């Protein structure tokens, strides 16, 4: 079977390797789609410090078909269409997994069946269950002003999950006007482009000088951190810090002092209720709450995985989320 | 001016008394409307134990016009249309109040201006700010199953405040089919009449045997308490106990043991953020979230206040909320 | 091996049965001690509704030695001294259990090794991890007034866990003066006997009329429920409802309306962190925080289990907790 | 009367000015002591951006005697010994204040009487009520491992408030061995000096590789922020961010991603319960929980205020907290 190996910085190589063999507790899964995640980039670029030596593999947003089932496995059978979190080497034609493993990355395997009618390339359980986890942590209250900075794939998913008509306003800031337009379709009521307006002043004007009740940061860079602190009301406000702040940088944290609670619900292993969050994600998919047709913008063959990573790195116009499809 | 006095059990008398005189910290308010609240009934029936001697007065859901302003009062002027909580004797033509009093019933005066275009009889700030407080306490999460028993005025207001499209189901139980029909208009997705179906079995069937995430009791009697415990999921579930359980009665609390958290947000003085809740209530009124046109079903002259109380006690068909209008 | 069977109301019979045989995922445990729990009484008396037919077995507070280990079991070996929650039929010489079972009673098996130097009859992991769970839920804040009604085994354990010198007062009410004396040794600062003083009036006097910040009910009967509501401060107070309210009864819930939050941390399956709570319980045992020497007052042979149950039911003077010791 | 004015960077001038005159709502207070707070330094150095023009005044940690009372003032009389937060210009012989003002710095005046027997120079209500607020927010649970970095005045006060015998360990890191020695007297169980040991490695060793449950940062500089993230356990851990991060700097936030909740309880106006926190602070003073005799290390005449500020800036050996005493 074919599998993608990062053999050097910015270089994938597709190699032919033996099929994984499974034990009684495991199952073999044929990968039909695997999402490209921005957190994979540091292993590809070889920045950061926690990577195994080359060649290394990646891919943790799988959707696929159960191809073979160990005799101790309960709840799954050959032919089941599944998604969730169950392996870290899913840029490949097949992977094996252990559905009862409780130790993987702090929470273990989380697997659910894909609802009928949802194509594999949209059934990306891993990022969707994270979005649901962040959404549940965020849960604003009746009449709250909500501010969010960042409208990429995660940010748009969060808007889709969090927004509803009993909130006062859902203000979204992003540098890309096309993403802001999509943010509005998904539930944002006001959008602001920091290259055109002073976002903090605008938010203060909108809220009558009071600031917002909930501020969500989905950027991963210092300006996002500062912005959520600057627009937050005094007292009782909360910050949701979603961005993946991988590198040391120059931050201003002073405005955070007025935020009594900051939630950081993004990291793998943060939720203690992921199974339920994957169930809720599948419901949201079926219900059309998460419009993956609009968010999954690019599909790639396994052989084109370098191109997929470069599109992610270069923020190619129109790119929101790419998916590797081994069978394409 | 005229004011209503309870002079004996089940007996109001309208008396002519001098206008209240105000000091420098107070203002005089002309009452344009005052809601009839079920919690007034025990003072009318003379049941319960905490009442002052006859004759006694009542009325704590006022809306009116500022008629005179003490020289120390800030933020209000003659002619302002106001509502909120500021006096307990509002079944009358005029009352006085102290806007800066912080001691009244544990939270002090809470006053906001009525949005333009909202008639006084709909601008009942006191019950609406309670509904907002309960709504904020309830705030369910993405994909939650919500169950509520009780669809009277408070119950319907809570449905209007809490429901939105990112919840899995909003199941409402009540004995009155016309109220259930209104519950559906306001956001309930499934309605159940306990006189026709076994509510607990139905809810268990709907949730796949798992139970609901949030269960709201707005009844005030033992069957409501038992029902919310019986339909709640194990672990992580929460009960919102809104009912006003005034009398000792035979309760079964065993099923509550599986509910880790029970919130009781109803009592006056429970919130530490009422001013904001009244602001949010006024926004909800203006936005049409609280459809008072449908909920305020009966209007009475001050002289007909006995009739108003009897309609409330008798659950007259079609009655949801009555309002006393001194100027009618 | 010998095992105790409830063959009729109020009747145990010791029968000789084959040793349990284990599969690859299970282990065999020799029971060295098993606590007698008040919640076992309804199965013994045949009151309540959820019991299996006679003969039935019981015993869920085991401590013992691993006698045999299935080949898939990880983390345990023959000879390990263990405790926790792993079986429901522990009034016997041997039981089997599956350490990786995640489904038992909503939380699965929770097992830890017993610290050196702690005798089996004191190492009752199951009630101690419940006490730790309740203690963590209760966690009062600096300067809080705490009130607790009920000083039986659970109540005394909770005092031992919750009390510390940065609390304003820890007031305990119970009808038994010897238990109140022990409560004082474990951390109570004021004790009140409701047969001698008006507890609510005393608490109000002690708190300057304000009421307590946290009120813990460990009684299981209506007077406890009413008392915690009556002594609680308005607003921001919390009630911890630990009592096991098994039967319908006449309750007064009105004073609960002033309690914004009621926690009910007692039920099995309530915590999502039991493994950590058992670890903490073992630490507390070793540290002497839970003085089991004072709390385990009665030891019984397996053959005398009827006597053990009757001592529990009769509240025999001096009885706090009984333990069945098959090898006695 | 005399008052201290900052007339230029690093320069105080004592000027003779007229006594403040009070209106009916105000009272005049003779300042007996006023704490020197590190947050005053930026106004003294003229760094940061939010300062009024020179000459400017300061001093927000007053204790004094009521000298004159406006006729509308309730609850205070001439001669009362008071402390709390009621003015921002307390480096002076007299200040005026309005006890019923609800708007000052987001929470209004918070005043309590000083317990008998406590000298003014120890009765610093403002920092003590902040310490109580932080302590209540921190409140660790039974068996928790607690880590704190920073053992200056605030840090030592937090140790005194938070520590108790039902915690697993209370580990404190600071660069100053004499402060670490004091930390141990106040409740720390393990102390670590980062100039001598690798703190993160040590904490990981102490906790068996698991990390701590609660990590408190009382430093205000990037290494503190990183350290609390690095020692925190995965999942369910909480960070308490107390440091006053006034300037942009190079921060590493990556490890915060594993902390689901970060509390920032330090800022003025953060608590919604300061009055109660000042009451609790006075109780803690009286009880000896806050050993001000050990923490207030330096006393200065009003004329020596420049020296006081320089000792604070220079971290003079032995200096923990300085107090200005106008009558010295």
């Amino acid at each position: 079977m074919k599998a993608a190996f990062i053999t050097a910085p910015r270089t994938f190589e597709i190699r032919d390797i033996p099929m994984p063999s499974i034990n009684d507790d495991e199952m073999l899964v044929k990968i039909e789609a695997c999402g490209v995640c921005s957190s994979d980039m540091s292993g590809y670029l070889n920045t950061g410090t926690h990577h195994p030596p080359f060649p290394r593999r990646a891919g943790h947003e799988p959707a696929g078909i159960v191809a073979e089932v160990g005799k101790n496995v309960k709840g799954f059978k050959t032919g089941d269409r599944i998604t969730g979190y169950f392996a870290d080497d899913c840029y490949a034609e097949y992977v094996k997994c252990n559905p009862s493993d409780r130790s993987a990355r702090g929470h273990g395997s989380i697997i659910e069946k894909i609802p009928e009618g949802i194509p594999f390339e949209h059934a990306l359980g891993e990022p969707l269950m994270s979005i649901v986890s962040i959404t549940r942590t965020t849960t604003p209250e009746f009449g709250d002003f909500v501010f969010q900075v960042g409208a990429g794939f995660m940010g748009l998913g969060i808007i889709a999950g969090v927004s509803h008509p009993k909130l006062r306003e859902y203000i979204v800031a992003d540098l890309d006007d096309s993403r802001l337009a999509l943010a509005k379709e998904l539930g944002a009521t006001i959008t602001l482009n920091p290259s055109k307006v002073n976002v903090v002043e605008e938010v203060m004007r909108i809220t009558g000088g009071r600031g917002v009740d909930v501020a969500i940061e989905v950027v991963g860079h210092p300006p996002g951190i500062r912005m959520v602190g600057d627009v937050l009301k005094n007292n009782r406000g909360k910050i949701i810090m979603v961005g993946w702040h991988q590198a040391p940088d120059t931050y201003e944290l002073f405005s955070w002092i007025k935020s009594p609670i900051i939630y950081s619900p993004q990291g793998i292993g943060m939720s203690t209720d992921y199974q339920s969050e994957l169930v809720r994600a599948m419901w949201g998919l079926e219900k059309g709450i998460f419009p993956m047709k609009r968010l999954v913008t690019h599909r790639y063959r396994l052989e084109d995985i370098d191109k997929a990573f470069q599109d992610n790195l270069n923020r190619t116009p129109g790119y929101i989320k790419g998916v590797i499809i081994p069978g394409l």
Side-chain angles (χ1 to χ4, degrees), chain A residues 55-308:
Chain A
R56 62 180 70 127
R57 293 177 60 186
H60 60 270
E61 301 187 354
I65 296 174
V66 176
E68 199 186 328
V69 180
K71 70 174 182 173
N72 294 338
V73 172
K74 293 190 184 88
F76 296 98
K77 61 178 196 304
T78 303
D80 279 349
R81 302 167 74 239
I82 64 170
T83 187
Y85 173 71
F86 47 81
D88 278 325
D89 49 1
C90 298
Y91 297 137
E93 290 182 316
Y94 288 87
V95 299
K96 67 177 179 180
C97 70
N98 178 342
S100 69
D101 177 18
R102 310 313 297 163
S103 64
R105 278 211 269 173
H107 55 68
S109 296
I110 314 282
I111 311 175
E112 289 290 331
K113 285 164 196 160
I114 300 171
E116 262 184 66
I118 304 290
F120 291 104
E121 66 199 66
H122 294 168
L124 305 179
E126 199 272 348
L128 286 170
M129 80 191 193
S130 287
I131 286 169
V132 170
S133 179
I134 294 160
T135 292
R136 291 177 79 193
T137 302
T138 303
T139 310
E141 296 177 356
F142 182 93
D144 271 357
F145 284 97
V146 178
F147 171 77
Q148 179 177 318
V149 55
F153 174 71
M154 291 299 285
L156 290 163
I158 292 166
I159 296 167
V162 173
S163 67
H164 63 73
K166 309 293 165 72
L167 305 176
R168 187 74 177 261
E169 298 290 357
Y170 199 118
I171 309 165
V172 174
D174 195 283
L175 288 162
D176 179 331
D177 282 336
S178 69
R179 290 183 172 192
L180 290 178
L182 189 44
K184 269 213 160 154
E185 287 182 44
L186 297 180
T189 59
I190 296 171
T191 56
L192 302 171
N193 188 325
S195 72
K196 301 177 183 173
V197 298
N198 182 316
V199 168
V200 174
E201 278 175 25
E202 269 303 291
V203 173
M204 283 305 171
R205 196 187 54 72
I206 292 164
T207 60
R210 187 173 141 283
V212 301
D213 301 280
V214 179
I216 310 165
E217 179 267 327
V218 206
V219 172
H221 296 292
I225 290 290
R226 179 167 177 185
M227 205 176 274
V228 291
D230 284 349
V231 302
L232 198 74
K233 70 176 174 182
N234 284 311
N235 207 335
R236 288 177 184 266
K238 66 181 182 184
I239 288 173
I240 313 294
M241 173 188 171
V242 178
W244 200 250
H245 295 263
Q246 281 181 300
D249 208 335
T250 304
Y251 287 87
E252 296 182 63
L253 296 179
F254 191 55
S255 63
W256 280 35
I257 288 174
K258 72 175 174 183
S259 169
I261 301 191
I262 299 128
Y263 291 96
S264 165
Q266 156 80 331
I268 285 300
M270 284 303 91
S271 171
T272 57
D273 203 26
Y274 269 129
Q275 193 75 44
S276 167
E277 274 141 17
L278 184 52
V279 170
R280 289 161 196 252
M282 292 301 106
W283 168 75
L285 257 187
E286 226 181 333
K287 188 95 174 178
I289 291 172
F290 299 119
M292 296 296 276
K293 197 181 260 190
R294 306 292 303 277
L295 300 179
V296 175
T297 52
H298 289 65
R299 303 157 78 236
Y300 305 87
R301 297 188 311 151
L302 186 56
E303 289 74 11
D304 297 331
I305 188 165
D306 276 305
K307 170 88 170 76

Side-chain angles (χ1 to χ4, degrees), chain A residues 13 123 237 247:
Chain A
E13 205 181 292

